[in-house]
Structures are given as structure tokens and as C-alpha cells.
């Protein structure tokens, strides 16, 4: 009975963590692209700086990591066991996190390059194709099992992204050449494919590592990944002389110098929420679910772009939003149905075990 109660408590805690990370992902997915586009629309031009900001908020992770360490140390003191180490990551996991971080830094640059040259609606359309890449790599790397509901969700969300393509013709920003627009398009497609690979790769690392994965360890992985990605982008900034240009760019920013730095800090916070939410959802659920949630939120970004940047909301965007919501409902319905089926199966197994005749020894 105690074991069952402990299991229910653990499941409830995991659901709470899933909700928190979903909220972080909602904030990051919706706010990150908008504030990044604001930087470019109001006079910003540095692609490496924008890619740097996507992971530069990693120092914010030190606070929850410190709280987690103090709690573990207090628990160890009460149990009279050895003090936990400040860093719980073992070398293989550390190396894997650094590698994924470098890939993330490259993806940050590709995405920032696309956002600098494409409208929010177009970049959101292209990034929505990431779900197809995530599903493909999840099948290859972690042998993701697909139900009819999850397949339906992937199809609906992909079709929803395709519907948005109906209004992309003629949306090239004024003063931008066809070559620049095409490069932005290609870079964003590559960014979608690369992050579609990164999400299942993180899940594979969780499954293959030989140490137990806790949420505290997930935060450490996030810290190392973002630190590595930031170092990668800093090298690019140094080569591109971005640090020398920042003060001049701040003075020329259309909303003023103070607002320029506010946009930079806000961008770092938004993107940190996105990355922590993404790998947190993988920890609590799966990389496929993380990819589906990102795809579902992209039409929301479209709506926010209409509100804040006065972009037109064509009928295609409404249809895309409807298909995305339908896909989300399909996925969640399938998950709920599967969960109920598993609980019923476990209950029947427990009843059969109880009813089995006990052997008598004389």
C-alpha cells in the first residue's frame, strides 16, 4: 500500500513538473521569436549577437541549481549520509551535454539568420516543419512508438504548417534582395531540421546515461548545453566584431538606448525559458511531445505577430490555427486513452497476482 502511495506521489510530482515546463515552453516559444524580430525591425543587424542571446541567459539557472543543491544537502544531513557533490554530472554525460550545446549554438545562428530576413509568419511556417524532423529522428534514435492519435497529430500539425505556405508569396521585406530572402529561407529550414535532431538526441542521452536522471540533473544538463552554445556564439561575435558595434547600435536603435538593452535582456530570458521548457518536457514526457507542443504554439506566435506587428491575419492562418489545435487535442486524447489502458492493465495484473493460489509447505 505504501509503495502504491509513493508511486502516486511520484506521478503527481512529474505531472506538476510537466505543467511547469509546458508553461516555460509556452512563454519561450511565443515570446522568443517576437522579441528577436523586434530587435531586427527597430534597427538591430547583428545575427551573431541574436544567436548569442538565445542561450546567454544560462546564469539564471544558478539560482534553482543552488536551491536544489541545498535541499539535497539538507536531505543528506537528515539521513546522515555523505554530502552530495556540487556537480552531479559524470564525465560521459558532461561530454554529451557539451556536444549537444555546440549543435544548439549552430542552430541558434541558423535560426537568427532566418529571423533577420523573414517575416515572423514565414519563419514560424518553416519552423513548424521541425515536427516532421523530430518524429523521424525520434523513431531512429529512441524507437519512439506511434499510435494512430500521435500520427494523426503529426499529420494535422504538418498540414497546418503547409496551409500557411499559401500566403508566403510576395512577403519579402522591403529593401531585401531575392538572394537574401532565399538564404534566410534555406537557413531556417536547416535550423528546423537540426533542432528536430537535437530534441530526440537529448532524450537518447537521458536513456543511455548510466546515472539516474533527476530534474536537478536536467537543470545541470541545460546549464552546460547553454554555456557551450553561448561560447560557440561568442567566438562568432568576436570574429564578426559584434562587441565593438553594440554601443553604436544601441545609440541608433529606434526606441532608444535603454530599450535596446531591455530588448537584449528580455530576449535572453525568453529563450532561456524556451530551452529549459523543451528539455524539461522531454524529461517528463518525450521528445515527440516537446516537438508537438512547439508546433502547436507556432500559430499562437502568428496571432501575436498580427497583434504587435500589424501583420495581416489571412484565412490561411485561421485554418492553420484550427488544424494545430485539432492536432493537439488528438495527441492528448490518445495519451489519456493510453494512460487509462495501462492503468487498467496494471490493475488486472495486480488482481491476478492476488488471486493466485499460495503454495503450502509442510
Amino acid at each position: 500500500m505504501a509503495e502504491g502511495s509513493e508511486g502516486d506521489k511520484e506521478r503527481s510530482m512529474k505531472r506538476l513538473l510537466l505543467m511547469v515546463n509546458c508553461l516555460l515552453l509556452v512563454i519561450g516559444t511565443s515570446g522568443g521569436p517576437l522579441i528577436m524580430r523586434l530587435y531586427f525591425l527597430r534597427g538591430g543587424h547583428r545575427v551573431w549577437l541574436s544567436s548569442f542571446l538565445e542561450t546567454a541567459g544560462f546564469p539564471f539557472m544558478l539560482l534553482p541549481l543552488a536551491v536544489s543543491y541545498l535541499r539535497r544537502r539538507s536531505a543528506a544531513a537528515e539521513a546522515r549520509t555523505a554530502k552530495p557533490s556540487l556537480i552531479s554530472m559524470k564525465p560521459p554525460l558532461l561530454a554529451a551535454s557539451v556536444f549537444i550545446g555546440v549543435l544548439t549554438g549552430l542552430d541558434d545562428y541558423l535560426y537568427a539568420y532566418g529571423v533577420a530576413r523573414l517575416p515572423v509568419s514565414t519563419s514560424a511556417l518553416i519552423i513548424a516543419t521541425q515536427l516532421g524532423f523530430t518524429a523521424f529522428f525520434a523513431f531512429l534514435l529512441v524507437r519512439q512508438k506511434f499510435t494512430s492519435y500521435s500520427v494523426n497529430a503529426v499529420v494535422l500539425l504538418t498540414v497546418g504548417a503547409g496551409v500557411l505556405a499559401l500566403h508566403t508569396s510576395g512577403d519579402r521585406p522591403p529593401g531585401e534582395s531575392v538572394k537574401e530572402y532565399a538564404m534566410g529561407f534555406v537557413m531556417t529550414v536547416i535550423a528546423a531540421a537540426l533542432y528536430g535532431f537535437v530534441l530526440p538526441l537529448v532524450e537518447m542521452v537521458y536513456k543511455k546515461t548510466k546515472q539516474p536522471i533527476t530534474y536537478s540533473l536536467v537543470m545541470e544538463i541545460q546549464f552546460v548545453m547553454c554555456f557551450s552554445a553561448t561560447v560557440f556564439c561568442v567566438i562568432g561575435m568576436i570574429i564578426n566584431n559584434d562587441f565593438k558595434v553594440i554601443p553604436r547600435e544601441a545609440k541608433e536603435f529606434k526606441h532608444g538606448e535603454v530599450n535596446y538593452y531591455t530588448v537584449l535582456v528580455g530576449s535572453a530570458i525568453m529563450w532561456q525559458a524556451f530551452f529549459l521548457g523543451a528539455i524539461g518536457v522531454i524529461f517528463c514526457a518525450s521528445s515527440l511531445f516537446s516537438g508537438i507542443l512547439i508546433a502547436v504554439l507556432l500559430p499562437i506566435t502568428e496571432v501575436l505577430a498580427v497583434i504587435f506587428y500589424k501583420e495581416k491575419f489571412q484565412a490561411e492562418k485561421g485554418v492553420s490555427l484550427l488544424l494545430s489545435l485539432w492536432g493537439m487535442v488528438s495527441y492528448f486524447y490518445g495519451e489519456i486513452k493510453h494512460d487509462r489502458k495501462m492503468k487498467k492493465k496494471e490493475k488486472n495484473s495486480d488482481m491476478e497476482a492476488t488471486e493466485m493460489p499460495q503454495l503450502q509447505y509442510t
Side-chain angles (χ1 to χ4, degrees):
M1 192 73 178
E3 289 179 2
S5 177
E6 195 68 30
D8 290 339
K9 186 178 179 182
E10 187 176 337
R11 278 192 291 268
S12 298
M13 182 59 70
K14 203 158 190 176
R15 283 173 186 161
L16 178 61
L17 277 175
L18 179 59
M19 290 173 63
V20 170
N21 283 283
C22 284
L23 179 61
L24 289 171
L25 196 54
V26 167
I27 294 170
T29 304
S30 302
L34 291 172
I35 198 165
M36 179 183 283
R37 185 61 181 163
L38 177 66
Y39 164 78
F40 289 111
L41 287 174
R42 298 297 180 264
H45 302 286
R46 318 308 291 185
V47 174
W48 275 111
L49 171 60
S50 293
S51 58
F52 161 82
L53 292 172
E54 290 185 58
T55 51
F58 72 89
F60 289 109
M61 294 298 302
L62 291 173
L63 179 59
L65 281 170
V67 172
S68 175
Y69 173 73
L70 291 174
R71 287 185 62 184
R72 284 186 286 123
R73 193 173 71 172
S74 176
E78 288 180 7
R80 295 182 179 179
T81 56
K83 287 184 180 181
S85 58
L86 189 62
I87 301 171
S88 54
M89 297 179 73
K90 293 180 180 178
L93 183 56
L94 178 64
S97 300
V98 170
F99 175 70
I100 296 174
V102 173
L103 289 181
T104 301
L106 175 60
D107 186 72
D108 290 344
Y109 175 77
L110 295 169
Y111 178 72
Y113 190 99
V115 171
R117 287 158 177 78
L118 302 176
V120 174
S121 58
T122 306
S123 61
L125 151 69
I126 301 168
I127 291 298
T129 62
Q130 173 185 303
L131 178 61
F133 293 112
T134 301
F136 174 72
F137 288 119
F139 175 75
L140 289 180
L141 297 179
V142 295
R143 295 293 183 264
Q144 174 72 50
K145 292 181 180 180
F146 291 89
T147 65
S148 58
Y149 297 101
S150 59
V151 170
N152 186 49
V154 171
V155 171
L156 286 169
L157 289 164
T158 305
V159 170
V163 168
L164 290 177
L166 297 175
H167 76 269
T168 55
S169 58
D171 67 346
R172 182 159 47 91
E176 187 173 285
S177 67
V178 175
K179 183 180 178 181
E180 288 176 329
Y181 181 87
M183 280 297 295
F185 197 95
V186 171
M187 290 289 204
T188 310
V189 170
I190 298 173
L194 183 55
Y195 203 64
F197 171 70
V198 166
L199 291 176
L201 186 61
V202 171
E203 185 177 359
M204 187 180 75
V205 168
Y206 287 168
K207 290 183 175 182
K208 296 292 185 181
T209 186
K210 294 181 179 179
Q211 62 181 114
I213 298 291
T214 62
Y215 193 69
S216 175
L217 187 58
V218 167
M219 290 192 291
E220 285 188 33
I221 294 170
Q222 164 74 358
F223 184 88
V224 172
M225 283 172 52
C226 287
F227 174 79
S228 304
T230 303
V231 170
F232 177 87
C233 293
V234 164
I235 294 171
M237 289 179 69
I238 293 171
I239 295 172
N240 203 44
N241 292 319
D242 280 12
F243 288 105
K244 295 179 181 178
V245 177
I246 289 174
R248 188 184 70 207
E249 193 174 69
K251 291 177 182 178
E252 297 172 354
F253 197 64
K254 290 181 181 178
H255 290 311
E257 194 170 347
V258 173
N259 285 327
Y260 174 84
Y261 291 110
T262 302
V263 167
L264 298 191
V265 173
S267 182
I269 294 172
M270 288 289 185
W271 285 115
Q272 192 62 32
F274 169 82
F275 283 110
L276 180 58
I279 71 166
V281 169
I282 294 172
F283 167 72
C284 299
S286 68
S287 57
L288 178 62
F289 178 61
S290 186
I292 283 176
L293 194 56
I294 292 169
V296 165
L297 293 169
L298 289 171
I300 307 300
T301 306
E302 295 255 349
V303 173
L304 292 174
V306 170
I307 295 171
F308 292 109
Y309 299 145
K310 309 302 180 186
E311 293 188 6
K312 293 180 181 180
F313 190 83
Q314 295 97 329
E316 295 88 349
K317 291 185 181 181
V319 173
S320 175
L321 180 60
L322 181 62
L323 288 172
S324 297
L325 292 174
W326 184 7
M328 180 184 70
V329 170
S330 174
Y331 180 82
F332 280 114
Y333 178 75
E335 287 298 299
I336 291 169
K337 195 171 181 180
H338 177 71
D339 190 48
R340 285 177 179 173
K341 186 178 179 181
M342 292 303 294
K343 283 183 178 179
K344 188 176 180 180
K345 190 176 180 180
E346 288 176 6
K347 187 177 180 181
N348 290 338
S349 298
D350 291 341
M351 288 177 65
E352 288 175 4
T354 304
E355 291 172 0
M356 283 181 64
Q358 300 295 319
L359 294 175
Q360 301 292 328
Y361 296 94
T362 56

PDB file of all heavy atoms in Angstrom, residues 28-48:
ATOM      1  N   GLY A  28       8.493  30.835 -23.860  1.00  0.00           N
ATOM      2  CA  GLY A  28       9.659  30.947 -24.737  1.00  0.00           C
ATOM      3  C   GLY A  28       9.317  30.854 -26.212  1.00  0.00           C
ATOM      4  O   GLY A  28       9.820  31.639 -27.026  1.00  0.00           O
ATOM      5  N   THR A  29       8.444  29.903 -26.572  1.00  0.00           N
ATOM      6  CA  THR A  29       8.094  29.726 -27.979  1.00  0.00           C
ATOM      7  C   THR A  29       7.324  30.918 -28.528  1.00  0.00           C
ATOM      8  O   THR A  29       7.508  31.318 -29.685  1.00  0.00           O
ATOM      9  CB  THR A  29       7.252  28.438 -28.165  1.00  0.00           C
ATOM     10  OG1 THR A  29       7.976  27.325 -27.641  1.00  0.00           O
ATOM     11  CG2 THR A  29       6.950  28.185 -29.631  1.00  0.00           C
ATOM     12  N   SER A  30       6.454  31.489 -27.697  1.00  0.00           N
ATOM     13  CA  SER A  30       5.643  32.627 -28.146  1.00  0.00           C
ATOM     14  C   SER A  30       6.421  33.940 -28.103  1.00  0.00           C
ATOM     15  O   SER A  30       6.336  34.750 -29.024  1.00  0.00           O
ATOM     16  CB  SER A  30       4.386  32.746 -27.277  1.00  0.00           C
ATOM     17  OG  SER A  30       3.627  31.559 -27.329  1.00  0.00           O
ATOM     18  N   GLY A  31       7.180  34.148 -27.038  1.00  0.00           N
ATOM     19  CA  GLY A  31       7.854  35.426 -26.850  1.00  0.00           C
ATOM     20  C   GLY A  31       9.211  35.549 -27.505  1.00  0.00           C
ATOM     21  O   GLY A  31       9.592  36.633 -27.970  1.00  0.00           O
ATOM     22  N   GLY A  32       9.961  34.434 -27.588  1.00  0.00           N
ATOM     23  CA  GLY A  32      11.312  34.476 -28.149  1.00  0.00           C
ATOM     24  C   GLY A  32      11.386  35.023 -29.568  1.00  0.00           C
ATOM     25  O   GLY A  32      12.125  35.988 -29.834  1.00  0.00           O
ATOM     26  N   PRO A  33      10.637  34.438 -30.519  1.00  0.00           N
ATOM     27  CA  PRO A  33      10.708  34.935 -31.906  1.00  0.00           C
ATOM     28  C   PRO A  33      10.237  36.382 -32.050  1.00  0.00           C
ATOM     29  O   PRO A  33      10.785  37.134 -32.853  1.00  0.00           O
ATOM     30  CB  PRO A  33       9.757  33.987 -32.664  1.00  0.00           C
ATOM     31  CG  PRO A  33       9.667  32.773 -31.825  1.00  0.00           C
ATOM     32  CD  PRO A  33       9.789  33.244 -30.416  1.00  0.00           C
ATOM     33  N   LEU A  34       9.237  36.782 -31.254  1.00  0.00           N
ATOM     34  CA  LEU A  34       8.698  38.141 -31.365  1.00  0.00           C
ATOM     35  C   LEU A  34       9.712  39.188 -30.926  1.00  0.00           C
ATOM     36  O   LEU A  34       9.912  40.207 -31.589  1.00  0.00           O
ATOM     37  CB  LEU A  34       7.418  38.270 -30.536  1.00  0.00           C
ATOM     38  CG  LEU A  34       6.210  37.494 -31.052  1.00  0.00           C
ATOM     39  CD1 LEU A  34       5.071  37.559 -30.042  1.00  0.00           C
ATOM     40  CD2 LEU A  34       5.753  38.016 -32.397  1.00  0.00           C
ATOM     41  N   ILE A  35      10.363  38.936 -29.796  1.00  0.00           N
ATOM     42  CA  ILE A  35      11.314  39.928 -29.288  1.00  0.00           C
ATOM     43  C   ILE A  35      12.588  39.937 -30.133  1.00  0.00           C
ATOM     44  O   ILE A  35      13.233  40.978 -30.305  1.00  0.00           O
ATOM     45  CB  ILE A  35      11.618  39.671 -27.793  1.00  0.00           C
ATOM     46  CG1 ILE A  35      12.231  40.931 -27.161  1.00  0.00           C
ATOM     47  CG2 ILE A  35      12.523  38.487 -27.582  1.00  0.00           C
ATOM     48  CD1 ILE A  35      12.237  40.901 -25.644  1.00  0.00           C
ATOM     49  N   MET A  36      12.939  38.775 -30.715  1.00  0.00           N
ATOM     50  CA  MET A  36      14.089  38.733 -31.613  1.00  0.00           C
ATOM     51  C   MET A  36      13.797  39.525 -32.883  1.00  0.00           C
ATOM     52  O   MET A  36      14.635  40.289 -33.369  1.00  0.00           O
ATOM     53  CB  MET A  36      14.451  37.293 -31.978  1.00  0.00           C
ATOM     54  CG  MET A  36      15.628  37.187 -32.947  1.00  0.00           C
ATOM     55  SD  MET A  36      16.021  35.495 -33.448  1.00  0.00           S
ATOM     56  CE  MET A  36      16.873  34.899 -31.999  1.00  0.00           C
ATOM     57  N   ARG A  37      12.585  39.362 -33.416  1.00  0.00           N
ATOM     58  CA  ARG A  37      12.202  40.097 -34.624  1.00  0.00           C
ATOM     59  C   ARG A  37      12.132  41.598 -34.338  1.00  0.00           C
ATOM     60  O   ARG A  37      12.465  42.417 -35.199  1.00  0.00           O
ATOM     61  CB  ARG A  37      10.835  39.585 -35.118  1.00  0.00           C
ATOM     62  CG  ARG A  37      10.380  40.203 -36.442  1.00  0.00           C
ATOM     63  CD  ARG A  37      11.351  39.901 -37.570  1.00  0.00           C
ATOM     64  NE  ARG A  37      10.935  40.510 -38.829  1.00  0.00           N
ATOM     65  CZ  ARG A  37      11.718  40.685 -39.878  1.00  0.00           C
ATOM     66  NH1 ARG A  37      12.981  40.289 -39.834  1.00  0.00           N
ATOM     67  NH2 ARG A  37      11.269  41.241 -40.982  1.00  0.00           N
ATOM     68  N   LEU A  38      11.712  41.965 -33.109  1.00  0.00           N
ATOM     69  CA  LEU A  38      11.660  43.374 -32.724  1.00  0.00           C
ATOM     70  C   LEU A  38      13.038  44.007 -32.814  1.00  0.00           C
ATOM     71  O   LEU A  38      13.186  45.149 -33.272  1.00  0.00           O
ATOM     72  CB  LEU A  38      11.115  43.502 -31.296  1.00  0.00           C
ATOM     73  CG  LEU A  38      11.051  44.917 -30.713  1.00  0.00           C
ATOM     74  CD1 LEU A  38      10.054  45.777 -31.473  1.00  0.00           C
ATOM     75  CD2 LEU A  38      10.680  44.862 -29.228  1.00  0.00           C
ATOM     76  N   TYR A  39      14.049  43.262 -32.394  1.00  0.00           N
ATOM     77  CA  TYR A  39      15.429  43.747 -32.461  1.00  0.00           C
ATOM     78  C   TYR A  39      15.804  44.110 -33.899  1.00  0.00           C
ATOM     79  O   TYR A  39      16.360  45.190 -34.167  1.00  0.00           O
ATOM     80  CB  TYR A  39      16.375  42.677 -31.913  1.00  0.00           C
ATOM     81  CG  TYR A  39      17.829  42.883 -32.267  1.00  0.00           C
ATOM     82  CD1 TYR A  39      18.604  43.824 -31.592  1.00  0.00           C
ATOM     83  CD2 TYR A  39      18.416  42.143 -33.298  1.00  0.00           C
ATOM     84  CE1 TYR A  39      19.943  44.020 -31.928  1.00  0.00           C
ATOM     85  CE2 TYR A  39      19.747  42.334 -33.631  1.00  0.00           C
ATOM     86  CZ  TYR A  39      20.505  43.274 -32.951  1.00  0.00           C
ATOM     87  OH  TYR A  39      21.820  43.468 -33.300  1.00  0.00           O
ATOM     88  N   PHE A  40      15.472  43.238 -34.853  1.00  0.00           N
ATOM     89  CA  PHE A  40      15.822  43.490 -36.251  1.00  0.00           C
ATOM     90  C   PHE A  40      14.945  44.574 -36.883  1.00  0.00           C
ATOM     91  O   PHE A  40      15.421  45.362 -37.699  1.00  0.00           O
ATOM     92  CB  PHE A  40      15.726  42.196 -37.061  1.00  0.00           C
ATOM     93  CG  PHE A  40      16.801  41.198 -36.743  1.00  0.00           C
ATOM     94  CD1 PHE A  40      16.502  40.008 -36.095  1.00  0.00           C
ATOM     95  CD2 PHE A  40      18.125  41.450 -37.078  1.00  0.00           C
ATOM     96  CE1 PHE A  40      17.497  39.083 -35.791  1.00  0.00           C
ATOM     97  CE2 PHE A  40      19.135  40.534 -36.781  1.00  0.00           C
ATOM     98  CZ  PHE A  40      18.816  39.356 -36.135  1.00  0.00           C
ATOM     99  N   LEU A  41      13.679  44.628 -36.507  1.00  0.00           N
ATOM    100  CA  LEU A  41      12.772  45.621 -37.082  1.00  0.00           C
ATOM    101  C   LEU A  41      13.098  47.047 -36.655  1.00  0.00           C
ATOM    102  O   LEU A  41      12.836  48.005 -37.382  1.00  0.00           O
ATOM    103  CB  LEU A  41      11.322  45.306 -36.687  1.00  0.00           C
ATOM    104  CG  LEU A  41      10.662  44.110 -37.383  1.00  0.00           C
ATOM    105  CD1 LEU A  41       9.297  43.849 -36.767  1.00  0.00           C
ATOM    106  CD2 LEU A  41      10.545  44.347 -38.877  1.00  0.00           C
ATOM    107  N   ARG A  42      13.667  47.208 -35.466  1.00  0.00           N
ATOM    108  CA  ARG A  42      13.917  48.544 -34.921  1.00  0.00           C
ATOM    109  C   ARG A  42      15.354  49.004 -35.051  1.00  0.00           C
ATOM    110  O   ARG A  42      15.798  49.919 -34.372  1.00  0.00           O
ATOM    111  CB  ARG A  42      13.483  48.604 -33.447  1.00  0.00           C
ATOM    112  CG  ARG A  42      11.995  48.352 -33.240  1.00  0.00           C
ATOM    113  CD  ARG A  42      11.148  49.432 -33.932  1.00  0.00           C
ATOM    114  NE  ARG A  42       9.725  49.198 -33.731  1.00  0.00           N
ATOM    115  CZ  ARG A  42       8.926  48.575 -34.594  1.00  0.00           C
ATOM    116  NH1 ARG A  42       9.429  48.124 -35.729  1.00  0.00           N
ATOM    117  NH2 ARG A  42       7.652  48.386 -34.335  1.00  0.00           N
ATOM    118  N   GLY A  43      16.132  48.325 -35.909  1.00  0.00           N
ATOM    119  CA  GLY A  43      17.472  48.829 -36.185  1.00  0.00           C
ATOM    120  C   GLY A  43      18.618  47.900 -35.862  1.00  0.00           C
ATOM    121  O   GLY A  43      19.776  48.223 -36.138  1.00  0.00           O
ATOM    122  N   GLY A  44      18.350  46.719 -35.273  1.00  0.00           N
ATOM    123  CA  GLY A  44      19.416  45.766 -34.986  1.00  0.00           C
ATOM    124  C   GLY A  44      19.830  45.002 -36.233  1.00  0.00           C
ATOM    125  O   GLY A  44      18.998  44.752 -37.112  1.00  0.00           O
ATOM    126  N   HIS A  45      21.121  44.651 -36.341  1.00  0.00           N
ATOM    127  CA  HIS A  45      21.610  43.974 -37.548  1.00  0.00           C
ATOM    128  C   HIS A  45      22.530  42.790 -37.238  1.00  0.00           C
ATOM    129  O   HIS A  45      22.920  42.099 -38.168  1.00  0.00           O
ATOM    130  CB  HIS A  45      22.388  44.964 -38.428  1.00  0.00           C
ATOM    131  CG  HIS A  45      21.584  46.159 -38.834  1.00  0.00           C
ATOM    132  ND1 HIS A  45      20.590  46.117 -39.788  1.00  0.00           N
ATOM    133  CD2 HIS A  45      21.628  47.447 -38.394  1.00  0.00           C
ATOM    134  CE1 HIS A  45      20.047  47.329 -39.934  1.00  0.00           C
ATOM    135  NE2 HIS A  45      20.672  48.156 -39.100  1.00  0.00           N
ATOM    136  N   ARG A  46      22.858  42.543 -35.985  1.00  0.00           N
ATOM    137  CA  ARG A  46      23.891  41.549 -35.672  1.00  0.00           C
ATOM    138  C   ARG A  46      23.284  40.159 -35.450  1.00  0.00           C
ATOM    139  O   ARG A  46      22.612  39.907 -34.451  1.00  0.00           O
ATOM    140  CB  ARG A  46      24.688  41.962 -34.425  1.00  0.00           C
ATOM    141  CG  ARG A  46      25.053  43.426 -34.337  1.00  0.00           C
ATOM    142  CD  ARG A  46      25.744  43.935 -35.587  1.00  0.00           C
ATOM    143  NE  ARG A  46      27.088  43.373 -35.763  1.00  0.00           N
ATOM    144  CZ  ARG A  46      27.910  43.735 -36.722  1.00  0.00           C
ATOM    145  NH1 ARG A  46      27.536  44.639 -37.620  1.00  0.00           N
ATOM    146  NH2 ARG A  46      29.101  43.190 -36.822  1.00  0.00           N
ATOM    147  N   VAL A  47      23.529  39.264 -36.394  1.00  0.00           N
ATOM    148  CA  VAL A  47      22.974  37.913 -36.325  1.00  0.00           C
ATOM    149  C   VAL A  47      23.652  37.101 -35.216  1.00  0.00           C
ATOM    150  O   VAL A  47      22.998  36.376 -34.470  1.00  0.00           O
ATOM    151  CB  VAL A  47      23.129  37.196 -37.683  1.00  0.00           C
ATOM    152  CG1 VAL A  47      22.686  35.737 -37.591  1.00  0.00           C
ATOM    153  CG2 VAL A  47      22.302  37.914 -38.743  1.00  0.00           C
ATOM    154  N   TRP A  48      24.989  37.254 -35.098  1.00  0.00           N
ATOM    155  CA  TRP A  48      25.694  36.501 -34.055  1.00  0.00           C
ATOM    156  C   TRP A  48      25.265  36.952 -32.662  1.00  0.00           C
ATOM    157  O   TRP A  48      25.150  36.135 -31.748  1.00  0.00           O
ATOM    158  CB  TRP A  48      27.206  36.652 -34.217  1.00  0.00           C
ATOM    159  CG  TRP A  48      27.817  35.700 -35.182  1.00  0.00           C
ATOM    160  CD1 TRP A  48      28.368  35.981 -36.394  1.00  0.00           C
ATOM    161  CD2 TRP A  48      27.932  34.275 -35.030  1.00  0.00           C
ATOM    162  NE1 TRP A  48      28.812  34.841 -36.999  1.00  0.00           N
ATOM    163  CE2 TRP A  48      28.568  33.767 -36.193  1.00  0.00           C
ATOM    164  CE3 TRP A  48      27.555  33.378 -34.030  1.00  0.00           C
ATOM    165  CZ2 TRP A  48      28.834  32.420 -36.374  1.00  0.00           C
ATOM    166  CZ3 TRP A  48      27.820  32.018 -34.213  1.00  0.00           C
ATOM    167  CH2 TRP A  48      28.452  31.548 -35.365  1.00  0.00           C
TER     168      TRP A  48
END
